[in-house]
Amino acid sequence: MAQGLIEVERKFIPGPGTEERLQELGAVLEHRVTFRDSYYDTPELSLMRADHWLRQREGSGWEFKCPGATSVSGPHTEYMELTAEPAIVAQLCEVLGGEVLGAGGVAAALGPLGLQEVASFVTKRSAWKLVLSGADEEEPPLRVDLDTADFGYAVGEVEALVHKEAEVPTALRKIHSLSSMLGVPAQETAPAKLIVYLQRFRPQDYQRLLEVYGSREKPQGTKDPDMRLG
């Protein structure tokens, strides 16, 4: 697989005082933004059922998330993020068993690989960053995104991006520490926006995912079928 950043994150349900608490901890508000996410898969959900997630974000381009290799259990997820279109196309072909389609981008590969839009929604986000007290100033900050989707669901996530698998345990400790400071219960899990969207608007697809993840050992990088990205 082409190498990308490893995203380690934990989702939680934000409360009315979450932003105030972030400010008390010294977090900096980077921006407030509104964007549309569109997710693509085959009619059989071949990608999602294999714990792979293809998204096009308005203004940001394509991203393909592939399961990480974490062996650490807990209320978090770990994915390898691919954002370069040639790498995404190559990995899509590998996962779906298709042919490499030359120099075309992701959009050109959708039809030949049988991919279609399966979800699309708008999110309002406040994006925060924070370096934990006592951490090395050169360490990358943790990021906290507070999202509200246009279908009325709100979710937060604490995220760290690392370059190597060996850095994941340290990132997890920081994520759990900040989550605790925000008052998130130790084992709380929160569904991703995409999963809630499917549950509400494409219940047959949602049930298809539950059948897969409920009938086998959990996929890499996840603890619960409702914790997937979105």
Side-chain angles (χ1 to χ4, degrees):
M1 181 191 300
Q3 291 299 304
L5 287 172
I6 300 173
E7 175 199 70
V8 187
E9 70 175 31
R10 179 180 180 185
K11 298 187 186 298
F12 66 96
I13 301 298
T18 300
E19 288 199 353
E20 181 178 354
R21 179 59 176 151
L22 282 167
Q23 290 175 325
E24 291 174 353
L25 293 171
V28 175
L29 176 63
E30 288 194 299
H31 55 255
R32 298 185 188 274
V33 65
T34 300
F35 53 84
R36 176 176 291 277
D37 282 333
S38 299
Y39 288 85
Y40 291 80
D41 209 330
T42 67
E44 302 79 24
L45 303 185
S46 300
L47 294 178
M48 295 181 189
R49 285 158 59 96
D51 200 23
H52 289 68
W53 311 83
L54 178 64
R55 182 189 73 200
Q56 183 181 40
R57 175 161 293 172
E58 182 181 50
S60 299
W62 293 93
E63 180 180 83
F64 191 37
K65 295 193 178 185
C66 311
T70 182
S71 59
V72 181
S73 63
H76 64 273
T77 61
E78 178 188 333
Y79 287 94
M80 180 75 73
E81 292 185 338
L82 299 179
T83 55
E85 292 201 33
I88 291 174
V89 171
Q91 188 64 18
L92 284 171
C93 290
E94 181 175 328
V95 174
L96 296 173
E99 296 181 4
V100 177
L101 304 170
V106 176
L110 295 177
L113 290 175
L115 295 166
Q116 62 189 27
E117 183 183 286
V118 295
S120 184
F121 49 84
V122 174
T123 295
K124 292 183 178 180
R125 165 174 291 178
S126 65
W128 302 75
K129 66 178 180 180
L130 171 66
V131 176
L132 292 179
S133 177
D136 189 326
E137 291 185 0
E138 295 183 358
E139 291 184 15
L142 291 175
R143 297 190 176 275
V144 180
D145 294 330
L146 303 178
D147 292 352
T148 302
D150 60 1
F151 51 89
Y153 177 61
V155 66
E157 65 181 39
V158 182
E159 175 187 285
L161 293 175
V162 299
H163 293 87
K164 298 181 294 185
E165 192 66 35
E167 299 171 335
V168 170
T170 298
L172 277 175
R173 285 194 295 271
K174 294 177 182 177
I175 287 171
H176 293 323
S177 177
L178 179 53
S179 298
S180 177
M181 294 177 190
L182 293 174
V184 179
Q187 294 301 317
E188 177 181 272
T189 61
K193 300 188 298 292
L194 173 59
I195 297 301
V196 174
Y197 178 96
L198 294 175
Q199 185 178 23
R200 294 184 183 181
F201 304 111
R202 299 181 68 120
Q204 289 182 325
D205 285 342
Y206 175 75
Q207 188 60 37
R208 188 174 292 173
L209 293 181
L210 284 186
E211 289 171 357
V212 171
Y213 294 119
S215 63
R216 71 182 191 198
E217 186 179 349
K218 68 181 178 66
Q220 295 181 37
T222 64
K223 178 180 177 63
D224 182 283
D226 276 351
M227 287 178 59
R228 280 162 188 71
L229 43 140

